[in-house]
Coordinates of all heavy atoms in Angstrom, one line a residue:
T186 N 35.3 -23.0 28.6 CA 34.0 -22.3 28.5 C 34.1 -20.8 28.8 O 33.6 -20.0 28.0 CB 32.9 -22.9 29.5 OG1 32.8 -24.3 29.2 CG2 31.6 -22.2 29.3
A187 N 34.8 -20.5 29.8 CA 35.1 -19.0 30.2 C 35.8 -18.4 29.0 O 35.5 -17.2 28.6 CB 35.8 -18.9 31.5
A188 N 36.9 -19.0 28.5 CA 37.7 -18.5 27.4 C 36.8 -18.3 26.1 O 36.9 -17.3 25.5 CB 38.9 -19.4 27.1
A189 N 36.0 -19.3 25.8 CA 35.1 -19.2 24.6 C 34.1 -18.1 24.7 O 33.9 -17.3 23.8 CB 34.4 -20.5 24.4
V190 N 33.5 -17.9 25.9 CA 32.5 -16.9 26.1 C 33.2 -15.5 26.0 O 32.6 -14.6 25.3 CB 31.8 -17.0 27.5 CG1 31.0 -15.8 27.8 CG2 31.0 -18.3 27.6
S191 N 34.4 -15.4 26.6 CA 35.1 -14.1 26.5 C 35.5 -13.8 25.0 O 35.3 -12.7 24.5 CB 36.4 -14.2 27.3 OG 37.2 -13.0 27.1
Y192 N 36.0 -14.8 24.3 CA 36.4 -14.6 22.9 C 35.2 -14.2 22.0 O 35.2 -13.2 21.3 CB 37.0 -15.9 22.3 CG 37.4 -15.8 20.9 CD1 38.6 -15.2 20.5 CD2 36.5 -16.2 19.9 CE1 38.9 -15.1 19.1 CE2 36.8 -16.1 18.6 CZ 38.0 -15.5 18.2 OH 38.3 -15.4 16.8
L193 N 34.1 -14.9 22.1 CA 32.9 -14.7 21.3 C 32.3 -13.4 21.6 O 31.8 -12.7 20.7 CB 31.9 -15.8 21.4 CG 32.4 -17.2 20.9 CD1 31.4 -18.3 21.2 CD2 32.5 -17.1 19.4
S194 N 32.2 -13.0 22.9 CA 31.5 -11.7 23.2 C 32.3 -10.6 22.7 O 31.7 -9.6 22.2 CB 31.3 -11.6 24.7 OG 32.6 -11.6 25.4
Q195 N 33.6 -10.7 22.7 CA 34.5 -9.6 22.2 C 34.5 -9.5 20.7 O 34.4 -8.5 20.1 CB 35.9 -9.7 22.7 CG 36.1 -9.4 24.2 CD 37.5 -9.4 24.6 OE1 38.3 -8.6 24.2 NE2 37.9 -10.4 25.5
R196 N 34.5 -10.7 20.1 CA 34.6 -10.8 18.6 C 33.2 -10.4 18.0 O 33.2 -9.7 17.0 CB 35.0 -12.2 18.2 CG 35.0 -12.4 16.7 CD 36.0 -11.6 16.0 NE 37.4 -11.9 16.4 CZ 38.5 -11.3 15.9 NH1 38.3 -10.3 15.1 NH2 39.7 -11.7 16.3
L197 N 32.1 -10.8 18.6 CA 30.8 -10.6 18.0 C 30.2 -9.3 18.3 O 29.4 -8.7 17.5 CB 29.9 -11.8 18.4 CG 30.3 -13.2 17.9 CD1 29.3 -14.2 18.4 CD2 30.3 -13.3 16.4
W198 N 30.4 -8.8 19.6 CA 29.7 -7.7 20.0 C 30.5 -6.5 20.5 O 30.0 -5.3 20.3 CB 28.7 -8.1 21.1 CG 27.8 -9.2 20.7 CD1 26.9 -9.1 19.7 CD2 27.6 -10.5 21.3 NE1 26.2 -10.3 19.6 CE2 26.6 -11.1 20.5 CE3 28.2 -11.1 22.4 CZ2 26.2 -12.4 20.8 CZ3 27.8 -12.4 22.6 CH2 26.8 -13.0 21.9
V199 N 31.7 -6.7 21.0 CA 32.5 -5.6 21.5 C 33.2 -4.9 20.3 O 33.1 -3.7 20.1 CB 33.4 -6.0 22.6 CG1 34.3 -4.9 23.0 CG2 32.7 -6.5 23.8
L200 N 34.0 -5.7 19.6 CA 34.8 -5.1 18.5 C 33.9 -4.4 17.4 O 34.3 -3.3 17.0 CB 35.6 -6.2 17.8 CG 36.9 -6.6 18.5 CD1 37.6 -7.7 17.7 CD2 37.8 -5.5 18.8
P201 N 32.8 -5.0 17.0 CA 31.9 -4.2 16.0 C 31.3 -3.0 16.6 O 30.8 -2.2 15.8 CB 30.9 -5.3 15.7 CG 31.4 -6.6 16.0 CD 32.3 -6.3 17.2
N202 N 31.4 -2.8 17.9 CA 30.8 -1.6 18.5 C 31.8 -0.5 18.8 O 31.5 0.4 19.5 CB 30.1 -2.0 19.8 CG 29.0 -0.9 20.2 OD1 28.4 -0.3 19.4 ND2 28.9 -0.8 21.5
M203 N 33.0 -0.7 18.2 CA 34.1 0.3 18.4 C 34.3 1.1 17.1 O 34.2 0.6 16.0 CB 35.4 -0.4 18.8 CG 35.3 -1.2 20.1 SD 36.8 -2.1 20.5 CE 37.9 -0.7 20.9
V204 N 34.6 2.4 17.3 CA 34.8 3.3 16.1 C 36.3 3.2 15.8 O 37.2 3.5 16.6 CB 34.5 4.7 16.5 CG1 34.7 5.6 15.3 CG2 33.0 4.8 16.9
R205 N 36.6 2.6 14.6 CA 38.0 2.4 14.2 C 38.4 3.3 13.0 O 39.5 3.1 12.4 CB 38.2 0.9 14.0 CG 38.1 0.1 15.2 CD 38.6 -1.3 15.0 NE 37.6 -2.1 14.4 CZ 37.8 -3.4 14.1 NH1 38.9 -4.0 14.4 NH2 36.8 -4.1 13.5
A206 N 37.5 4.2 12.6 CA 37.9 5.0 11.5 C 39.0 5.9 11.8 O 39.1 6.5 12.9 CB 36.7 5.9 11.1
D207 N 40.0 6.0 10.9 CA 41.2 6.9 11.1 C 42.1 6.4 12.3 O 43.0 7.1 12.7 CB 40.9 8.3 11.4 CG 40.1 8.9 10.2 OD1 40.4 8.6 9.0 OD2 39.2 9.7 10.4
M208 N 41.8 5.2 12.7 CA 42.7 4.6 13.8 C 43.9 4.0 13.2 O 43.9 3.4 12.1 CB 41.9 3.5 14.6 CG 42.6 3.0 15.8 SD 41.6 1.8 16.7 CE 40.3 2.8 17.3
P209 N 45.1 4.2 13.8 CA 46.3 3.6 13.3 C 46.2 2.1 13.1 O 45.5 1.4 13.9 CB 47.4 3.9 14.3 CG 46.8 5.1 15.0 CD 45.4 5.0 15.0
E210 N 46.8 1.6 12.0 CA 46.6 0.1 11.7 C 47.1 -0.7 12.8 O 46.6 -1.8 13.1 CB 47.3 -0.2 10.4 CG 47.1 -1.6 9.9 CD 47.8 -1.9 8.6 OE1 48.2 -0.9 7.9 OE2 47.9 -3.0 8.2
S211 N 48.2 -0.3 13.5 CA 48.8 -1.1 14.6 C 47.8 -1.2 15.7 O 47.7 -2.3 16.3 CB 50.1 -0.5 15.1 OG 49.8 0.9 15.5
M212 N 47.0 -0.2 16.0 CA 46.1 -0.2 17.1 C 44.9 -1.1 16.7 O 44.3 -1.8 17.5 CB 45.6 1.2 17.4 CG 44.7 1.3 18.7 SD 44.3 3.0 19.1 CE 45.9 3.6 19.5
V213 N 44.5 -1.1 15.4 CA 43.4 -1.9 14.9 C 43.8 -3.4 15.1 O 43.0 -4.2 15.6 CB 43.0 -1.6 13.5 CG1 42.1 -2.6 12.9 CG2 42.5 -0.2 13.3
R214 N 45.0 -3.7 14.7 CA 45.5 -5.1 14.8 C 45.5 -5.5 16.3 O 45.2 -6.7 16.6 CB 46.9 -5.2 14.2 CG 46.9 -5.3 12.7 CD 48.1 -5.9 12.2 NE 49.3 -5.2 12.6 CZ 49.9 -4.2 11.9 NH1 49.4 -3.8 10.8 NH2 51.0 -3.6 12.4
M215 N 45.9 -4.6 17.2 CA 46.0 -4.9 18.6 C 44.6 -5.2 19.1 O 44.4 -6.2 19.9 CB 46.6 -3.8 19.4 CG 46.7 -4.0 20.9 SD 47.6 -5.6 21.3 CE 49.3 -5.2 20.8
Q216 N 43.6 -4.4 18.7 CA 42.3 -4.6 19.2 C 41.7 -6.0 18.7 O 41.0 -6.7 19.4 CB 41.3 -3.5 18.7 CG 41.5 -2.2 19.4 CD 40.6 -1.1 18.9 OE1 39.9 -1.3 17.9 NE2 40.5 0.0 19.7
E217 N 42.1 -6.3 17.5 CA 41.6 -7.6 16.9 C 42.3 -8.8 17.6 O 41.7 -9.9 17.6 CB 41.9 -7.7 15.4 CG 41.0 -6.7 14.6 CD 41.4 -6.7 13.1 OE1 42.5 -7.2 12.8 OE2 40.6 -6.2 12.3
L218 N 43.5 -8.6 18.2 CA 44.2 -9.6 18.9 C 43.6 -9.8 20.4 O 43.8 -10.8 21.0 CB 45.7 -9.4 19.0 CG 46.5 -9.7 17.7 CD1 47.9 -9.2 17.9 CD2 46.4 -11.2 17.4
M219 N 43.0 -8.8 20.9 CA 42.6 -8.8 22.3 C 41.7 -10.0 22.6 O 41.8 -10.6 23.7 CB 41.9 -7.5 22.7 CG 42.8 -6.3 22.8 SD 44.2 -6.7 24.0 CE 43.3 -6.9 25.5
P220 N 40.7 -10.4 21.8 CA 39.9 -11.5 22.1 C 40.7 -12.8 22.3 O 40.5 -13.6 23.2 CB 38.9 -11.7 21.0 CG 38.8 -10.3 20.4 CD 40.2 -9.7 20.6
V221 N 41.7 -13.0 21.4 CA 42.6 -14.1 21.5 C 43.5 -14.1 22.8 O 43.6 -15.1 23.5 CB 43.5 -14.2 20.3 CG1 44.4 -15.4 20.4 CG2 42.6 -14.4 19.0
I222 N 44.0 -12.9 23.1 CA 44.8 -12.7 24.3 C 44.0 -13.0 25.5 O 44.5 -13.7 26.5 CB 45.5 -11.3 24.3 CG1 46.4 -11.1 23.1 CG2 46.2 -11.0 25.6 CD1 46.9 -9.7 22.9
S223 N 42.8 -12.4 25.6 CA 41.9 -12.6 26.7 C 41.6 -14.1 27.0 O 41.7 -14.6 28.1 CB 40.7 -11.8 26.6 OG 39.8 -12.0 27.6
A224 N 41.2 -14.8 25.9 CA 40.9 -16.2 26.0 C 42.1 -17.0 26.4 O 42.0 -17.9 27.2 CB 40.3 -16.7 24.6
G225 N 43.2 -16.7 25.8 CA 44.4 -17.5 26.1 C 44.8 -17.2 27.6 O 45.3 -18.2 28.3
G226 N 44.6 -16.0 28.1 CA 44.9 -15.7 29.5 C 44.1 -16.5 30.4 O 44.6 -17.0 31.5
M227 N 42.8 -16.7 30.1 CA 41.9 -17.5 30.9 C 42.3 -18.9 31.0 O 42.3 -19.6 32.0 CB 40.5 -17.3 30.5 CG 39.8 -16.0 30.8 SD 38.1 -15.9 30.5 CE 37.6 -14.5 31.4
L228 N 42.7 -19.5 29.8 CA 43.1 -20.9 29.8 C 44.4 -21.1 30.6 O 44.5 -22.1 31.3 CB 43.4 -21.3 28.3 CG 42.1 -21.5 27.5 CD1 42.5 -21.8 26.0 CD2 41.3 -22.7 28.0
L229 N 45.3 -20.1 30.5 CA 46.5 -20.2 31.3 C 46.2 -20.0 32.8 O 46.8 -20.8 33.6 CB 47.5 -19.1 30.8 CG 48.9 -19.1 31.5 CD1 49.6 -20.4 31.1 CD2 49.7 -17.9 31.0
A230 N 45.4 -19.1 33.2 CA 45.0 -18.9 34.6 C 44.3 -20.1 35.1 O 44.4 -20.4 36.4 CB 44.2 -17.6 34.7
G231 N 43.6 -20.8 34.3 CA 42.9 -22.0 34.8 C 43.8 -23.0 35.4 O 43.3 -23.9 36.1
S232 N 45.1 -23.0 35.1 CA 46.0 -24.0 35.6 C 46.4 -23.7 37.1 O 47.1 -24.5 37.7 CB 47.3 -24.0 34.8 OG 47.9 -22.7 34.8
T233 N 45.9 -22.5 37.6 CA 46.3 -22.2 39.0 C 45.2 -21.8 39.9 O 45.3 -21.9 41.1 CB 47.3 -21.0 39.0 OG1 46.7 -19.9 38.3 CG2 48.6 -21.4 38.2
V234 N 44.1 -21.3 39.3 CA 43.0 -20.7 40.2 C 42.1 -21.8 40.6 O 42.0 -22.9 40.0 CB 42.2 -19.7 39.4 CG1 43.1 -18.5 39.0 CG2 41.5 -20.3 38.2
P235 N 41.3 -21.6 41.7 CA 40.4 -22.6 42.2 C 39.2 -22.8 41.3 O 38.8 -21.8 40.6 CB 40.0 -22.1 43.6 CG 40.2 -20.6 43.5 CD 41.4 -20.4 42.6
L236 N 38.5 -23.9 41.4 CA 37.4 -24.2 40.6 C 36.2 -23.2 40.8 O 35.5 -22.8 39.9 CB 36.9 -25.6 40.9 CG 35.8 -26.2 39.9 CD1 36.5 -26.5 38.5 CD2 35.2 -27.4 40.4
A237 N 36.1 -22.7 42.1 CA 35.0 -21.8 42.4 C 35.2 -20.5 41.6 O 34.2 -19.9 41.1 CB 35.0 -21.5 43.9
L238 N 36.5 -20.1 41.4 CA 36.7 -18.9 40.6 C 36.4 -19.1 39.1 O 36.0 -18.2 38.4 CB 38.2 -18.5 40.8 CG 38.6 -17.0 40.4 CD1 37.7 -16.0 41.2 CD2 40.0 -16.8 40.6
L239 N 36.6 -20.3 38.6 CA 36.3 -20.6 37.2 C 34.8 -20.5 37.0 O 34.3 -20.1 36.0 CB 36.8 -22.0 36.8 CG 38.3 -22.1 36.7 CD1 38.7 -23.6 36.4 CD2 38.9 -21.2 35.6
V240 N 34.0 -21.0 38.0 CA 32.6 -20.9 38.0 C 32.2 -19.5 37.9 O 31.3 -19.1 37.1 CB 31.9 -21.6 39.2 CG1 30.4 -21.3 39.3 CG2 32.2 -23.1 39.2
Y241 N 32.8 -18.6 38.8 CA 32.5 -17.2 38.7 C 32.8 -16.6 37.4 O 32.1 -15.8 36.9 CB 33.3 -16.5 39.8 CG 33.6 -15.0 39.6 CD1 32.5 -14.1 39.7 CD2 34.8 -14.6 39.3 CE1 32.7 -12.8 39.5 CE2 35.1 -13.2 39.0 CZ 34.0 -12.3 39.1 OH 34.2 -11.0 38.9
W242 N 34.0 -17.0 36.8 CA 34.3 -16.4 35.5 C 33.3 -16.8 34.4 O 33.0 -16.0 33.5 CB 35.7 -16.9 35.1 CG 36.9 -16.2 35.7 CD1 36.8 -15.1 36.5 CD2 38.2 -16.6 35.7 NE1 38.0 -14.7 36.9 CE2 38.9 -15.6 36.4 CE3 38.9 -17.6 35.1 CZ2 40.3 -15.7 36.6 CZ3 40.3 -17.7 35.3 CH2 41.0 -16.7 36.0
V243 N 32.8 -18.0 34.4 CA 31.8 -18.4 33.4 C 30.5 -17.6 33.6 O 30.0 -17.1 32.6 CB 31.5 -19.9 33.5 CG1 30.3 -20.3 32.7 CG2 32.8 -20.8 33.1
I244 N 30.1 -17.5 34.8 CA 28.8 -16.8 35.1 C 29.0 -15.3 34.7 O 28.1 -14.7 34.1 CB 28.3 -17.0 36.5 CG1 28.1 -18.5 36.8 CG2 27.1 -16.1 36.8 CD1 27.8 -18.8 38.3
S245 N 30.1 -14.7 35.2 CA 30.3 -13.3 34.9 C 30.5 -13.1 33.4 O 30.0 -12.1 32.9 CB 31.6 -12.8 35.7 OG 31.8 -11.5 35.5
G246 N 31.2 -14.0 32.7 CA 31.4 -13.9 31.3 C 30.1 -13.9 30.5 O 29.9 -13.2 29.6
L247 N 29.1 -14.8 31.0 CA 27.8 -14.9 30.3 C 27.1 -13.6 30.5 O 26.4 -13.1 29.6 CB 27.0 -16.0 30.9 CG 27.5 -17.4 30.5 CD1 26.8 -18.5 31.3 CD2 27.4 -17.7 29.0
W248 N 27.1 -13.0 31.7 CA 26.5 -11.7 32.0 C 27.1 -10.6 31.0 O 26.4 -9.8 30.4 CB 26.7 -11.3 33.4 CG 26.0 -9.9 33.7 CD1 26.5 -8.7 33.4 CD2 24.8 -9.7 34.4 NE1 25.6 -7.7 33.8 CE2 24.6 -8.3 34.5 CE3 23.9 -10.5 35.1 CZ2 23.5 -7.7 35.1 CZ3 22.8 -10.0 35.7 CH2 22.6 -8.6 35.7
T249 N 28.4 -10.6 31.0 CA 29.1 -9.6 30.1 C 28.7 -9.8 28.7 O 28.5 -8.8 27.9 CB 30.6 -9.8 30.3 OG1 31.0 -9.5 31.6 CG2 31.4 -8.8 29.4
A250 N 28.6 -11.0 28.2 CA 28.2 -11.3 26.8 C 26.8 -10.8 26.5 O 26.6 -10.2 25.5 CB 28.4 -12.8 26.5
G251 N 25.9 -11.1 27.5 CA 24.5 -10.6 27.3 C 24.4 -9.1 27.3 O 23.7 -8.5 26.5
Q252 N 25.2 -8.5 28.2 CA 25.2 -7.0 28.2 C 25.8 -6.4 27.0 O 25.2 -5.5 26.4 CB 26.0 -6.6 29.5 CG 26.1 -5.2 29.7 CD 26.9 -4.9 31.1 OE1 26.3 -5.0 32.1 NE2 28.1 -4.6 31.0
A253 N 26.9 -7.0 26.5 CA 27.5 -6.5 25.2 C 26.6 -6.7 24.0 O 26.5 -5.8 23.2 CB 28.8 -7.2 25.0
A254 N 25.8 -7.8 24.0 CA 24.9 -8.1 22.9 C 23.8 -7.0 22.9 O 23.4 -6.6 21.8 CB 24.3 -9.5 23.0
V255 N 23.3 -6.7 24.1 CA 22.2 -5.7 24.2 C 22.7 -4.3 23.7 O 22.0 -3.6 22.9 CB 21.7 -5.6 25.6 CG1 20.8 -4.4 25.8 CG2 20.9 -6.9 26.0
I256 N 23.9 -3.9 24.2 CA 24.4 -2.7 23.8 C 24.7 -2.6 22.3 O 24.4 -1.7 21.6 CB 25.7 -2.4 24.5 CG1 25.4 -2.2 26.0 CG2 26.4 -1.1 24.0 CD1 26.7 -2.1 26.9
H257 N 25.3 -3.7 21.7 CA 25.6 -3.8 20.3 C 24.3 -3.7 19.5 O 24.3 -3.1 18.4 CB 26.3 -5.2 20.1 CG 26.4 -5.5 18.6 ND1 25.5 -6.1 17.8 CD2 27.5 -5.3 17.8 CE1 25.9 -6.3 16.6 NE2 27.1 -5.9 16.6
H258 N 23.2 -4.4 19.9 CA 22.0 -4.4 19.1 C 21.2 -3.2 19.2 O 20.7 -2.7 18.2 CB 21.2 -5.6 19.5 CG 20.0 -5.9 18.6 ND1 20.2 -6.6 17.4 CD2 18.7 -5.6 18.7 CE1 19.0 -6.7 16.8 NE2 18.1 -6.1 17.5

Side-chain angles (χ1 to χ4, degrees):
T186 301
V190 169
S191 173
Y192 176 84
L193 291 173
S194 64
Q195 291 186 62
R196 177 63 67 181
L197 296 178
W198 300 304
V199 176
L200 284 180
N202 200 32
M203 300 177 71
V204 180
R205 293 190 280 179
D207 300 322
M208 187 179 290
E210 187 178 347
S211 59
M212 189 174 294
V213 172
R214 285 201 301 268
M215 179 56 67
Q216 287 183 346
E217 291 177 345
L218 281 174
M219 284 308 296
V221 177
I222 294 172
S223 175
M227 284 190 166
L228 286 173
L229 185 62
S232 64
T233 59
V234 300
L236 191 71
L238 197 57
L239 291 176
V240 172
Y241 157 70
W242 280 352
V243 171
I244 298 170
S245 182
L247 289 171
W248 180 287
T249 300
Q252 183 174 277
V255 169
I256 294 170
H257 171 275
H258 189 79

